Amino acid sequence: MLQSLASNSCVRLIQNHKSTWYFVSLVLGYLLYLVFGAVVFSSVELPYEDLLRQELRAIKKQFLVENECLTEERLERFLNKALDASNYGVSILNNASANWNWDFTSALFFASTVLSTTGYGHTAPLSDGGKAFCIIYSVIGIPFTLLFLTAVVQRIMVFSTRRPITYIHTRWGLSKPLVAIVHATLLALLAVSCFFLIPAAIFSALEENWNFLESFYFCFISLSTIGLGDYVPGEAANQRFRELYKVGITVYLILGLIVMLVVLETFCELQQLKQLRKMFYLKKEKPQDRLAILEHDHLSFTTVSCAAAGQNDGKTQPFVSVPTLASPNDDPMIQ
């Protein structure tokens, strides 16, 4: 008997807090996914890092042997200075001296990466005034960009998703969830083709040191706003039409970001994903539950009021019954 009661109470507890258990499982799954990514990246990249370190040590040692007049301390100071300048996008190589990082087109490209929160990191403000302006510009510009993207995506969604799905559903009588799934899949394939595959082929042709995989990697890292900065187009020394190329990349990033948001919003409107999201959300208080709570409170207040009235009646009730007089002449004392 006790075991059955305990099992029933456990089942009721789980059912009443189902969304909480789903949320806990979601958090645990996310943490496990983070650990899984760390293990894979570490196991794949650590050997390459160790090999690169050994090669650099060997090159440095060979250079010091061939140039005995140069001490290791002076070489370290020179390398530190060169690396610090490289972190700001300034290179000491002869073939890179012709490219300026802060001409108008490069500054326009930098502004687009700041506002879209991509932030490649290949170029950074050098002066204190530039750093201060970057903070103020970002504080105003990033919310402005979010407002701009939200308004654009909302208008595009009407013509790219909602009206086509409604038209096909009413014209051919197909199931609306099925039409939405097929439409979202076709839209995703079109976006991948136009903003990943085709641009990757173009970048691999324009950039001398990029293959197709590296170009596709750049497109994905850019349009997902990860922006690692290990691949940045238009930075080659002999880049032709560099200014026009930078403007074209800026337009590509803005349009690609809009398309990615449209695709994500289309998938978020799928009925299946909406039901999946509701599993992890807190349940809203229903009107029936609110009415039941109000009725319970009203019933409790009425019960307390009646009990208080009964107690007051008991206190004022006399112990000796007094007859009711119809007129003053009925009083025996007056008689």
Side-chain angles (χ1 to χ4, degrees), residues 177-178 180-181 267 269-277:
L178 178 61
I181 292 176
F267 274 93
E269 289 189 355
L270 293 178
Q271 192 65 30
Q272 292 81 358
L273 290 182
K274 288 182 179 180
Q275 294 176 357
L276 180 64
R277 293 199 307 269

PDB file of all heavy atoms in Angstrom, residues 177-178 180-181 267 269-277:
ATOM      1  N   PRO A 177       1.074  21.888 -42.288  1.00  0.00           N
ATOM      2  CA  PRO A 177       2.385  21.523 -41.724  1.00  0.00           C
ATOM      3  C   PRO A 177       3.302  20.857 -42.742  1.00  0.00           C
ATOM      4  O   PRO A 177       4.511  21.110 -42.760  1.00  0.00           O
ATOM      5  CB  PRO A 177       2.030  20.585 -40.571  1.00  0.00           C
ATOM      6  CG  PRO A 177       0.648  20.966 -40.183  1.00  0.00           C
ATOM      7  CD  PRO A 177      -0.022  21.350 -41.449  1.00  0.00           C
ATOM      8  N   LEU A 178       2.733  20.000 -43.608  1.00  0.00           N
ATOM      9  CA  LEU A 178       3.551  19.355 -44.632  1.00  0.00           C
ATOM     10  C   LEU A 178       4.084  20.359 -45.638  1.00  0.00           C
ATOM     11  O   LEU A 178       5.266  20.317 -46.027  1.00  0.00           O
ATOM     12  CB  LEU A 178       2.719  18.283 -45.339  1.00  0.00           C
ATOM     13  CG  LEU A 178       3.413  17.522 -46.484  1.00  0.00           C
ATOM     14  CD1 LEU A 178       4.631  16.784 -45.957  1.00  0.00           C
ATOM     15  CD2 LEU A 178       2.444  16.576 -47.161  1.00  0.00           C
ATOM     16  N   ALA A 180       4.632  23.479 -45.072  1.00  0.00           N
ATOM     17  CA  ALA A 180       5.629  24.303 -44.384  1.00  0.00           C
ATOM     18  C   ALA A 180       6.974  23.592 -44.314  1.00  0.00           C
ATOM     19  O   ALA A 180       8.030  24.214 -44.495  1.00  0.00           O
ATOM     20  CB  ALA A 180       5.132  24.650 -42.988  1.00  0.00           C
ATOM     21  N   ILE A 181       6.974  22.283 -44.057  1.00  0.00           N
ATOM     22  CA  ILE A 181       8.232  21.534 -43.979  1.00  0.00           C
ATOM     23  C   ILE A 181       8.924  21.490 -45.344  1.00  0.00           C
ATOM     24  O   ILE A 181      10.134  21.730 -45.459  1.00  0.00           O
ATOM     25  CB  ILE A 181       7.963  20.112 -43.452  1.00  0.00           C
ATOM     26  CG1 ILE A 181       7.520  20.152 -41.992  1.00  0.00           C
ATOM     27  CG2 ILE A 181       9.207  19.239 -43.591  1.00  0.00           C
ATOM     28  CD1 ILE A 181       7.151  18.801 -41.432  1.00  0.00           C
ATOM     29  N   PHE A 267      12.115  28.154 -40.232  1.00  0.00           N
ATOM     30  CA  PHE A 267      12.141  26.898 -39.482  1.00  0.00           C
ATOM     31  C   PHE A 267      11.521  27.064 -38.101  1.00  0.00           C
ATOM     32  O   PHE A 267      10.894  26.138 -37.581  1.00  0.00           O
ATOM     33  CB  PHE A 267      13.574  26.379 -39.359  1.00  0.00           C
ATOM     34  CG  PHE A 267      14.023  25.561 -40.530  1.00  0.00           C
ATOM     35  CD1 PHE A 267      14.695  26.149 -41.587  1.00  0.00           C
ATOM     36  CD2 PHE A 267      13.764  24.209 -40.591  1.00  0.00           C
ATOM     37  CE1 PHE A 267      15.106  25.400 -42.675  1.00  0.00           C
ATOM     38  CE2 PHE A 267      14.164  23.445 -41.675  1.00  0.00           C
ATOM     39  CZ  PHE A 267      14.846  24.043 -42.728  1.00  0.00           C
ATOM     40  N   GLU A 269       8.999  28.790 -37.355  1.00  0.00           N
ATOM     41  CA  GLU A 269       7.546  28.820 -37.460  1.00  0.00           C
ATOM     42  C   GLU A 269       6.935  27.455 -37.749  1.00  0.00           C
ATOM     43  O   GLU A 269       5.713  27.340 -37.824  1.00  0.00           O
ATOM     44  CB  GLU A 269       7.123  29.814 -38.542  1.00  0.00           C
ATOM     45  CG  GLU A 269       7.345  31.269 -38.156  1.00  0.00           C
ATOM     46  CD  GLU A 269       6.720  32.224 -39.144  1.00  0.00           C
ATOM     47  OE1 GLU A 269       6.196  31.742 -40.176  1.00  0.00           O
ATOM     48  OE2 GLU A 269       6.750  33.442 -38.891  1.00  0.00           O
ATOM     49  N   LEU A 270       7.752  26.430 -37.921  1.00  0.00           N
ATOM     50  CA  LEU A 270       7.221  25.092 -38.129  1.00  0.00           C
ATOM     51  C   LEU A 270       6.510  24.609 -36.868  1.00  0.00           C
ATOM     52  O   LEU A 270       6.987  24.825 -35.749  1.00  0.00           O
ATOM     53  CB  LEU A 270       8.354  24.116 -38.491  1.00  0.00           C
ATOM     54  CG  LEU A 270       9.031  24.340 -39.845  1.00  0.00           C
ATOM     55  CD1 LEU A 270      10.151  23.336 -40.033  1.00  0.00           C
ATOM     56  CD2 LEU A 270       8.031  24.243 -40.982  1.00  0.00           C
ATOM     57  N   GLN A 271       5.375  23.942 -37.061  1.00  0.00           N
ATOM     58  CA  GLN A 271       4.568  23.506 -35.929  1.00  0.00           C
ATOM     59  C   GLN A 271       5.314  22.494 -35.071  1.00  0.00           C
ATOM     60  O   GLN A 271       5.194  22.490 -33.837  1.00  0.00           O
ATOM     61  CB  GLN A 271       3.255  22.890 -36.447  1.00  0.00           C
ATOM     62  CG  GLN A 271       2.201  22.662 -35.373  1.00  0.00           C
ATOM     63  CD  GLN A 271       1.705  23.960 -34.764  1.00  0.00           C
ATOM     64  OE1 GLN A 271       1.682  24.986 -35.433  1.00  0.00           O
ATOM     65  NE2 GLN A 271       1.316  23.919 -33.505  1.00  0.00           N
ATOM     66  N   GLN A 272       6.109  21.650 -35.703  1.00  0.00           N
ATOM     67  CA  GLN A 272       6.848  20.636 -34.943  1.00  0.00           C
ATOM     68  C   GLN A 272       7.888  21.283 -34.032  1.00  0.00           C
ATOM     69  O   GLN A 272       8.067  20.864 -32.882  1.00  0.00           O
ATOM     70  CB  GLN A 272       7.529  19.650 -35.901  1.00  0.00           C
ATOM     71  CG  GLN A 272       6.568  18.763 -36.669  1.00  0.00           C
ATOM     72  CD  GLN A 272       5.965  19.478 -37.870  1.00  0.00           C
ATOM     73  OE1 GLN A 272       6.236  20.662 -38.112  1.00  0.00           O
ATOM     74  NE2 GLN A 272       5.152  18.757 -38.627  1.00  0.00           N
ATOM     75  N   LEU A 273       8.581  22.299 -34.533  1.00  0.00           N
ATOM     76  CA  LEU A 273       9.584  22.978 -33.701  1.00  0.00           C
ATOM     77  C   LEU A 273       8.925  23.794 -32.599  1.00  0.00           C
ATOM     78  O   LEU A 273       9.490  23.942 -31.511  1.00  0.00           O
ATOM     79  CB  LEU A 273      10.464  23.863 -34.573  1.00  0.00           C
ATOM     80  CG  LEU A 273      11.428  23.123 -35.508  1.00  0.00           C
ATOM     81  CD1 LEU A 273      12.274  24.116 -36.278  1.00  0.00           C
ATOM     82  CD2 LEU A 273      12.322  22.181 -34.713  1.00  0.00           C
ATOM     83  N   LYS A 274       7.757  24.342 -32.864  1.00  0.00           N
ATOM     84  CA  LYS A 274       7.051  25.063 -31.818  1.00  0.00           C
ATOM     85  C   LYS A 274       6.683  24.128 -30.670  1.00  0.00           C
ATOM     86  O   LYS A 274       6.833  24.479 -29.491  1.00  0.00           O
ATOM     87  CB  LYS A 274       5.787  25.719 -32.380  1.00  0.00           C
ATOM     88  CG  LYS A 274       6.045  26.918 -33.271  1.00  0.00           C
ATOM     89  CD  LYS A 274       4.732  27.519 -33.743  1.00  0.00           C
ATOM     90  CE  LYS A 274       4.976  28.745 -34.614  1.00  0.00           C
ATOM     91  NZ  LYS A 274       3.700  29.345 -35.090  1.00  0.00           N
ATOM     92  N   GLN A 275       6.211  22.937 -30.990  1.00  0.00           N
ATOM     93  CA  GLN A 275       5.888  21.969 -29.947  1.00  0.00           C
ATOM     94  C   GLN A 275       7.140  21.525 -29.204  1.00  0.00           C
ATOM     95  O   GLN A 275       7.097  21.295 -27.992  1.00  0.00           O
ATOM     96  CB  GLN A 275       5.186  20.764 -30.572  1.00  0.00           C
ATOM     97  CG  GLN A 275       3.819  21.090 -31.158  1.00  0.00           C
ATOM     98  CD  GLN A 275       3.183  19.896 -31.855  1.00  0.00           C
ATOM     99  OE1 GLN A 275       3.797  18.833 -31.944  1.00  0.00           O
ATOM    100  NE2 GLN A 275       1.965  20.070 -32.343  1.00  0.00           N
ATOM    101  N   LEU A 276       8.255  21.394 -29.931  1.00  0.00           N
ATOM    102  CA  LEU A 276       9.502  21.015 -29.268  1.00  0.00           C
ATOM    103  C   LEU A 276       9.971  22.091 -28.306  1.00  0.00           C
ATOM    104  O   LEU A 276      10.432  21.793 -27.201  1.00  0.00           O
ATOM    105  CB  LEU A 276      10.575  20.731 -30.327  1.00  0.00           C
ATOM    106  CG  LEU A 276      11.957  20.328 -29.797  1.00  0.00           C
ATOM    107  CD1 LEU A 276      11.880  19.006 -29.041  1.00  0.00           C
ATOM    108  CD2 LEU A 276      12.959  20.226 -30.949  1.00  0.00           C
ATOM    109  N   ARG A 277       9.846  23.370 -28.701  1.00  0.00           N
ATOM    110  CA  ARG A 277      10.266  24.453 -27.813  1.00  0.00           C
ATOM    111  C   ARG A 277       9.396  24.535 -26.577  1.00  0.00           C
ATOM    112  O   ARG A 277       9.877  24.858 -25.488  1.00  0.00           O
ATOM    113  CB  ARG A 277      10.227  25.789 -28.566  1.00  0.00           C
ATOM    114  CG  ARG A 277      11.248  25.915 -29.675  1.00  0.00           C
ATOM    115  CD  ARG A 277      11.472  27.370 -30.043  1.00  0.00           C
ATOM    116  NE  ARG A 277      10.221  28.050 -30.334  1.00  0.00           N
ATOM    117  CZ  ARG A 277       9.678  28.136 -31.539  1.00  0.00           C
ATOM    118  NH1 ARG A 277      10.274  27.545 -32.575  1.00  0.00           N
ATOM    119  NH2 ARG A 277       8.568  28.791 -31.745  1.00  0.00           N
TER     120      ARG A 277
END
